Amino acid sequence: MKFFAAVAALALAAVANAQSPPFTSCAPAGVTPELSIATFSLTPYPLCIGQLVTATGTGSLSAPVTAGAKLAIIGRYLGRVVYTDNHDLCTLTATAGLPCPIATTTTSITVDVLVKTTAPANVPVALQVSATNGNGNLLFCQQATVTAINCPV
């Protein structure tokens, strides 16, 4: 019995210390995003269903982020959409202390987003996180395969 408890504790510790998966650009060919992403990460990882996840993007802005900017999150499993979420990006950044317009001198943007209770648990989901600026131009598009779990509260 002690062996199983030790294995379970080690597995839980490994999950708690997991790093965000590597994200890559999903910007359409020929489109230059206004936010050139150097790194994009999610913490905690794996994602906890019903809890906040912190998304951080670092890079360089070629244009200010303006009012009306939108954040879209789409998750697919086996090619089917299993998760969607949309937010006003300026509302999210203002909550984090960075109201719009966000100057081009800004090199890091961090926002907290609730992982909805409708997120599928324990399956690899192809997640796409994208944002459009208030002017309609693509700010960024990042993608990775992620997993969400039911975490203790």
Side-chain angles (χ1 to χ4, degrees), residues 12-128:
L12 184 58
V15 167
N17 291 323
Q19 292 185 0
S20 178
F23 277 80
T24 59
S25 177
C26 51
V31 175
T32 302
E34 291 184 346
L35 174 55
S36 176
I37 296 279
T39 61
F40 189 86
S41 64
L42 302 174
T43 54
Y45 188 80
L47 308 178
C48 291
I49 297 169
Q51 296 182 29
L52 291 174
V53 61
T54 300
T56 302
T58 60
S60 59
L61 279 166
S62 63
V65 179
T66 57
K70 302 290 181 200
L71 179 72
I73 304 166
I74 300 171
R76 290 183 173 82
Y77 178 68
L78 299 177
R80 296 180 60 195
V81 174
V82 295
Y83 188 86
T84 61
D85 202 3
N86 295 287
H87 295 273
D88 180 296
L89 184 59
C90 290
T91 299
L92 292 175
T93 59
T95 301
L98 191 61
C100 289
I102 299 174
T104 57
T105 55
T106 302
T107 59
S108 181
I109 297 175
T110 298
V111 297
D112 290 329
V113 178
L114 179 69
V115 179
K116 297 193 299 189
T117 57
T118 56
N122 304 310
V123 295
V125 173
L127 190 73
Q128 177 179 306

